[in-house]
Amino acid sequence: YHCHPDHVTEQFEATRKALGVLEVGPGDVTCYHMVQSFPQGLDISPEEAHQCGLELLEKLGAHQGIVCTHVNPVADEDGVLHGEQMHNHIVFNAYKLPEFIDPAHPKAIKYNRCNDSYEQLQCWNDEIAFDHGLPIVAELDASKLYDWDKPDRSTERWRDRMRYDIQQ
């Protein structure tokens, strides 16, 4: 969305530099990652799931982003992998595209990650699900969330696992 999949990193960086942010430090957030999941066993094509991810990016509007759609594989007792749950990984630039900067607030150049923005994302996601005739999760079961923070963060193993999963 507003970038080419083969040049996402370079285009995110170009946007940031166009806003006058020439360098970032190790703790600076330059992009955000979110997962848009669909219920296990839902009859949804990869194309429709991907379209839902693109629509969520469009609702963000001011930020470049990329959607990667795939199925969480589950191994059966014979070790054969089967698709289980369709979901999107959505990565978007923390910095707004220059044409979306409000002249009344010229320093508001980044995504404001807070409870209000999270609730807005949930609302947009529900609208998209409704428009596609998909179920809306009413009560989130936190015990079923896949959390990258669960592994021991004192090692780099969790990052290696995440890199491997994304590359696959």
Side-chain angles (χ1 to χ4, degrees):
Y1 180 74
H2 288 299
C3 59
H4 189 280
D6 294 336
H7 305 286
V8 171
T9 305
E10 297 90 352
Q11 290 177 326
F12 279 19
E13 183 178 2
T15 296
R16 176 180 50 79
K17 288 182 176 179
L19 295 170
V21 182
L22 303 180
E23 299 204 18
V24 292
D28 292 336
V29 176
T30 58
C31 63
Y32 289 96
H33 171 248
M34 62 181 152
V35 177
Q36 180 185 44
S37 296
F38 302 92
Q40 186 173 330
L42 180 68
D43 185 21
I44 184 172
S45 70
E47 293 80 13
E48 185 175 13
H50 191 79
Q51 181 61 35
C52 290
L54 288 174
E55 289 175 25
L56 190 54
L57 272 176
E58 287 172 7
K59 291 199 181 269
L60 271 170
H63 301 270
Q64 298 158 296
I66 188 163
V67 178
C68 175
T69 305
H70 72 105
V71 176
N72 266 358
V74 174
D76 64 18
E77 57 276 352
D78 297 323
V80 177
L81 293 178
H82 300 278
E84 190 72 14
Q85 183 181 28
M86 185 80 60
H87 66 276
N88 292 319
H89 289 269
I90 302 171
V91 177
F92 65 95
N93 196 346
Y95 294 89
K96 294 179 181 178
L97 290 161
E99 59 267 30
F100 288 95
I101 301 299
D102 181 357
H105 305 304
K107 295 190 185 245
I109 62 173
K110 287 184 83 173
Y111 178 75
N112 182 16
R113 183 175 177 247
C114 62
N115 286 341
D116 288 343
S117 60
Y118 181 73
E119 287 174 11
Q120 181 62 67
L121 282 171
Q122 286 180 314
C123 181
W124 286 335
N125 191 63
D126 288 352
E127 288 173 9
I128 292 164
F130 182 79
D131 289 346
H132 284 262
L134 301 172
I136 295 170
V137 176
E139 291 292 325
L140 188 62
D141 183 354
S143 69
K144 293 185 179 179
L145 293 177
Y146 190 72
D147 188 353
W148 288 109
D149 292 335
K150 283 183 183 172
D152 180 3
R153 297 196 100 198
S154 65
T155 69
E156 291 296 309
R157 288 183 32 212
W158 70 276
R159 287 182 191 267
D160 294 338
R161 189 179 81 208
M162 182 168 52
R163 279 189 200 99
Y164 175 81
D165 286 353
I166 290 171
Q167 288 169 353
Q168 296 309 308

